[in-house]
Structures are given as structure tokens and as C-alpha cells.
Amino acid sequence: MYRNTTTRSLTFTKPITFIIFSLHSCINRFHQVTKCLWWAVIPLLLLPGIVCANVEKPPSKIYHFRLLAFGTYIELMVTAVSQKKAHQFKQLVQGQFSTMHRQWHSTHNSVVSTLNQGLATKQWIPLPQSVQALLVRSKQLSILSHHRFNPAIGRLVNLWGFNNSLKPRSKPPTKKDINKLIQLKPQMNDLEFKSNLIRSHNAAVQLDFGAIAKGYAIDRVTTLLKQQGFKHFIINAGGDLKAIGRHPSRAWRIAIRNPVNKSQVIAGIIINNEEAVFTSGDYERYFIYQGIRFHHIINPLDGQPVHHTRSVTVIHTDATLADAAATALFIAGPEHWPAVATKMGIRYVMLIDHKGVIHLSEAMKQRIQLFKHKFLVHLVRLKLTPLK
Amino acid sequence: MTLFSQNLRRPLGDILFLVLALILIVSSYLLLWRNADNQHQGHTADIIVNQKTIMTISLRQNKTYQINGYVGLSTLVVYNGKIRFSHSACSKKYCVLAGWHQLSGDTAACLPNRVLIRVNGTPKGFDVLNY
């Protein structure tokens, strides 16, 4: 380099020439850089063409439908089908969901409400075919979750007023009333099955499938849809969903809402062919009494809403399991969720606790893309048996 | 032009090139990443009553809507890009407690009154919102 003050004084005597030459030099350098980049870019430009040539593309149109069922808003997306077939898809889902809701709702004049009346008598009563499989699966998952997921606490849910949409509760029930129900210890273990009969050994057992019905319904409808030839679709029931197949040009992508700031997306997940994503949060159904928020996820052990957790997100191929596990892990909380997840066979878990710490299973860490947030992240290794 | 000035214009040209490159990097960051959250916000919302979309409204306005539902009136407030139920003829007011909604794909429902708000679209780059 030949720099000295004399040179500068010479140059400044012709400022316009100097600027022009500088710009010229800048453009030259730009040409040199772009020339180099160009040789690097050519193979990159060719790559998508080579890749796309080997990928089978389904038709691009995605059909969207909306309906109300299960006390929630259901969004349907289906692709790689004709318009006529897409409408068949909607009709099929609507019919199935309406039927299941009528059968399983615990407070309307439903199959489950009749069953609950019979269980209170502690006598053998007929077990309706329409709820048999759901009941058996619920009992199995309740035991696996160490009874954190407990559909036998229907009375407790009613006491808090989170089930019956007509009776509002502006203040929590008394501790005396709660303890009276807790001491009776209603559990799924109290139920006994004999061919097509059922009885309860505990008159306090009242079934409420609120923490599993949505997942079970989605699984049943999904199986039916796949049998009908639908390969690429999403069923989103009030934010809990199952995605099958692919978007027309890529894998399905799911955004997870921030439970603390609802206007933000906290994370993204890419679906592997067929998976359910379920989130249990404290933000959906609640009331405020004397400045304290009482939400709808009740701990069956103490009868109180859980305060150590804000939300739990679970990914699993089985929507029924994902639904029940999201509730069970929410109740288990930041301390006990790894043990419950291991027992239930859940690999992908994200729990956000009341302090704002994100607890991630290591497998979930590999799957999830976390966006801008102010939370601490705590990684947990689960000792699960390898996938078969 | 002397030898000195010829040698001087090259490093200054390089500096100019680097400054332009820096401006490009900073501006593309500001354009693409700084407003990443805003890319997930919806601009319109559908008002659905009894499973039928009765209107699509812009969230870029400040306005109040009175919607006739199954059991009575629901009042919806649109303010500063957000929408919420401010009142509804239901007993538990979950819809009112749910607060503001602005994220694309977000929904709020007053089920007893069968009134539903859906912020249109999905978060940018995603197909569906889980919550």
C-alpha cells in the first residue's frame, strides 16, 4: 500500500474524478464478486430441477372447511382430491363428529349420562357398544398415567362448573365439598367389565371424557377417511390436530402458539407423514375470583386447578394417547412429567411451567424449531424403549 | 492521475463496496427478520354465526360490531389490528375472558351464542396453528 498525506492532498484537488474512479473500482470489485458467486450459483440453480423431477407432485389445491362439534370449532384441510371428493370428506367428518359428540357428552341426555346414572347404583348394567372401546382405552391410559389422567372424576369437574355450559361458577367450590369428593377416590380401576356388562365398585365414579374424547374422535375419523382413500389432510379440533400425508409441495408445517403471549408463535414443527399435535393449556376455560385465576385442568389428587404448568404440547402418531398424555403431563408438572411420559411412551414433549421455563424432551428438541422467546430451556432425556 | 492517486482509489472503492454490502445485509435483516412476529398477524377476520360466515372484517380499523347470535347479542371490538369479544349473551364469558386475538389462524368462540371469530390466514410459513 502506498498511502501518504501528499497523495490525499493531490486527489482532493479533483474530487469528481476521484469519486468516479472510486465508483468504477467499486463496480469492478462487484463484478469480480458476482463472477465468483455465479459459478457457485449455477449448480444450486440446477439442483431444485433435478430434485423436483424425481418427486411425485399431488394436485395443488387445498380445500378448507369449518364446522362446530365437540363444543369446539373444527377446521378441515384436504388436498390431492377432486372438489366432489373434498365435499364428501367434509360430510363424512361432520356426520362422525356429531354422532360421537351426542354419545359421549357427559351432561346432555347422552349415552354417557345414562351410563353414569347406572354406575352410581354399583349394579351390573349394559355397556353400550358405542363407548366400550373408548372406556377400555381410557382405563388403560389412566393406569399408565398413574391416574393423573382420570376420566372418573366427572363429579369434581361438575363441582367446578367446567362441564355444564349452562351453570356458571363465579367462585371456587368450598374445600369441604372438594375434600368430600377426593376422599371417595373415584378411579378407572373401580370399573369392572364382564362381556357386555359394566359395574362400578365405587358409587362416586362419574365418567367425563373431556380429556380424551377429541383425540379418540380424531383417530376414529382419520381411520375411516384413510379407508375411503383420503391420503393428505389435517383435522384441527380447536387447536388440537392430526395431520396426514403432505402439503402439495412439502411436509405439513404446524405453528405452536405462545401460551403466555397469544399474539406470538413460540415454535414450529414439521410433520412426519402422520402425527397428532395436542396442547393442554390453562388459558382456555377459566374464571377469576378475588384476583386468582381458576382454570379447567383439575388435579384428581387434590381437586384443585393445577398452578405449576402453563401448557404441555405432545406429538404422537396416536391422537388418543396424545390427548390423554397432554392432560396427564400438565397435571404431573415440571417435576414429575418425565416419569409419566416414560410410562405412557411419549417421546415428544414440550412443557412450559409457571416460571416461564420450557422443558423439552431431547427427542422434541430435535423436532422443534423454537422462535424468539424469553424463556429458559431445560432439556430432559427420557429413558424410553426404542421404537419398533 | 498519479501513481499515488490510482492506488488510493482502489482501497476506497473497496470500502464503498463493503459499505454497500453492509447496508444490504442490515436492510435485509430489518425487512425479513425484525418484523417476523408481524408476519404472523392476520389482517382480516371472519365472523361466523351458526356455522355461516356472515361477514369478513378488516382488523385495520377501530370499530365495534353487534352480532345477533342464538341466545342474544355478542359485542365484538376491533382495535389496533386485534379483535375480541367485549360482551356476549352467554353465562360463563369464556369468550370475553379469552381476550384479544390477532394471530393468523386463531379463533374465539361463544359456543352458547354460536358466534365465532376466526382471524384469517395461517402464521407465515405454516399450514395450521396449534394451541
Side-chain angles (χ1 to χ4, degrees):
Chain A
M1 291 293 149
Y2 301 96
R3 284 194 197 180
N4 61 38
T5 49
T6 322
T7 315
R8 278 186 193 165
S9 62
L10 279 171
T11 312
F12 290 142
T13 56
K14 295 175 182 174
I16 294 168
T17 319
F18 177 75
I19 288 166
I20 289 168
F21 276 122
S22 291
L23 278 172
H24 184 250
S25 165
C26 176
I27 290 162
N28 275 345
R29 185 50 52 102
F30 181 74
H31 277 166
Q32 284 169 12
V33 171
T34 48
K35 222 186 277 176
C36 293
L37 282 175
W38 179 242
W39 288 110
V41 162
I42 287 173
L44 289 174
L45 288 173
L46 293 173
L47 197 63
I50 297 163
V51 172
C52 290
N54 294 318
V55 176
E56 189 192 344
K57 279 188 178 178
S60 60
K61 179 145 174 90
I62 300 177
Y63 296 92
H64 294 255
F65 301 103
R66 302 162 178 178
L67 51 108
L68 285 174
F70 272 89
T72 192
Y73 171 69
I74 296 174
E75 266 189 306
L76 309 172
M77 293 165 73
V78 60
T79 186
V81 290
S82 65
Q83 192 174 4
K84 190 182 166 191
K85 198 85 174 137
H87 281 279
Q88 281 175 9
F89 175 91
K90 186 215 170 185
Q91 297 296 335
L92 204 147
V93 175
Q94 190 161 25
Q96 287 290 316
F97 270 108
S98 303
T99 308
M100 287 187 274
H101 186 220
R102 273 200 307 276
Q103 288 170 345
W104 299 344
H105 203 286
S106 58
T107 55
H108 295 158
N109 192 17
S110 67
V111 174
V112 171
S113 63
T114 312
L115 185 63
N116 277 337
Q117 288 166 19
L119 290 175
T121 65
K122 295 170 75 174
Q123 303 293 313
W124 284 107
I125 53 166
L127 175 58
Q129 188 74 28
S130 58
V131 293
Q132 191 169 6
L134 174 62
L135 205 49
V136 171
R137 190 77 204 280
S138 297
K139 183 175 176 179
Q140 181 196 21
L141 292 175
S142 184
I143 293 165
L144 279 177
S145 73
H146 303 293
H147 303 285
R148 260 91 175 195
F149 160 68
N150 185 356
I153 58 163
R155 278 194 182 180
L156 196 59
V157 177
N158 274 337
L159 183 67
W160 277 94
F162 287 118
N163 198 19
N164 189 337
S165 59
L166 298 174
K167 291 179 188 170
R169 183 174 270 287
S170 53
K171 63 178 185 178
T174 62
K175 280 194 177 170
K176 192 182 162 193
D177 287 344
I178 293 170
N179 288 338
K180 216 161 84 180
L181 287 179
I182 294 299
Q183 280 159 11
L184 296 171
K185 293 183 180 169
Q187 288 191 346
M188 294 303 278
N189 274 345
D190 296 323
L191 297 177
E192 187 184 350
F193 303 97
K194 188 171 73 177
S195 60
N196 290 331
L197 297 173
I198 185 172
R199 76 169 170 184
S200 171
H201 297 290
N202 184 345
V205 169
Q206 292 285 279
L207 298 168
D208 184 306
F209 294 116
I212 192 171
K214 228 190 314 184
Y216 189 80
I218 288 177
D219 272 340
R220 259 181 63 167
V221 173
T222 301
T223 306
L224 202 65
L225 290 167
K226 281 160 67 183
Q227 284 167 1
Q228 300 282 323
F230 296 100
K231 291 177 182 169
H232 307 278
F233 59 90
I234 293 178
I235 300 176
N236 175 14
D240 292 318
L241 59 100
K242 191 163 189 177
I244 309 289
R246 288 168 57 82
H247 179 277
S249 58
R250 51 170 171 73
W252 293 114
R253 293 175 185 162
I254 315 298
I256 301 172
R257 193 176 73 183
N258 186 337
V260 180
N261 183 347
K262 288 200 315 177
S263 66
Q264 287 180 350
V265 171
I266 194 168
I269 294 169
I270 293 173
I271 293 294
N272 287 337
N273 192 41
E274 174 174 341
E275 281 178 316
V277 185
F278 274 68
T279 296
S280 281
D282 66 355
Y283 40 78
E284 289 205 338
R285 280 179 279 158
Y286 65 89
F287 60 85
I288 294 169
Y289 177 69
Q290 293 184 340
I292 301 169
R293 203 152 63 99
F294 295 90
H295 66 84
H296 73 294
I297 305 176
I298 310 288
N299 187 343
L301 303 176
D302 63 12
Q304 299 287 340
V306 175
H307 288 298
H308 46 55
T309 306
R310 296 301 310 270
S311 78
V312 172
T313 301
V314 169
I315 310 176
H316 202 279
T317 49
D318 182 341
T320 313
L321 176 55
D323 197 359
T327 304
L329 300 180
F330 191 103
I331 291 164
E335 199 179 336
H336 301 293
W337 75 264
V340 178
T342 305
K343 188 82 176 166
M344 296 184 86
I346 304 291
R347 286 175 181 278
Y348 305 109
V349 182
M350 177 172 72
L351 180 146
I352 300 175
D353 70 21
H354 70 295
K355 291 177 186 164
V357 177
I358 300 180
H359 302 252
L360 287 177
S361 62
E362 278 196 345
M364 184 64 128
K365 175 77 169 51
Q366 305 299 319
R367 291 287 307 275
I368 206 165
Q369 184 194 356
L370 285 173
F371 296 131
K372 194 173 67 178
H373 62 79
K374 291 174 184 171
F375 300 127
L376 289 170
V377 177
H378 179 232
L379 274 184
V380 178
R381 176 172 288 179
L382 300 176
K383 290 173 187 166
L384 291 168
T385 50
L387 280 173
K388 287 177 184 173
Chain B
M1 190 65 65
T2 65
L3 176 67
F4 287 127
S5 61
Q6 276 176 0
N7 284 317
L8 183 64
R9 75 182 182 188
R10 185 171 287 279
L12 279 175
D14 284 354
I15 289 165
L16 192 62
F17 176 74
L18 287 172
V19 167
L20 288 174
L22 199 67
I23 289 168
L24 188 73
I25 290 164
V26 172
S27 58
S28 60
Y29 167 79
L30 293 174
L31 193 72
L32 298 172
W33 295 105
R34 204 181 69 142
N35 293 323
D37 279 348
N38 293 344
Q39 292 175 2
H40 300 315
Q41 314 305 324
H43 303 304
T44 60
D46 280 352
I47 311 299
I48 301 153
V49 180
N50 214 10
Q51 307 210 40
K52 281 181 187 163
T53 304
I54 58 159
M55 64 174 103
T56 300
I57 57 173
S58 169
L59 299 183
R60 290 170 169 167
Q61 58 172 341
N62 298 334
K63 202 171 172 180
T64 300
Y65 294 86
Q66 298 281 350
I67 307 294
N68 248 323
Y70 187 69
V71 293
L73 275 180
S74 288
T75 308
L76 311 179
V77 178
V78 180
Y79 177 73
N80 205 16
K82 301 175 285 188
I83 185 165
R84 68 169 298 166
F85 281 92
S86 69
H87 172 79
S88 199
C90 55
S91 57
K92 297 193 175 182
K93 313 291 181 202
Y94 292 145
C95 53
V96 177
L97 288 166
W100 293 102
H101 305 271
Q102 62 183 132
L103 197 57
S104 297
D106 203 355
T107 58
C110 178
L111 292 170
N113 208 21
R114 299 183 191 176
V115 176
L116 202 137
I117 302 166
R118 189 194 187 276
V119 181
N120 286 325
T122 53
K124 194 173 170 67
F126 294 96
D127 301 302
V128 69
L129 183 68
N130 165 263
Y131 49 90

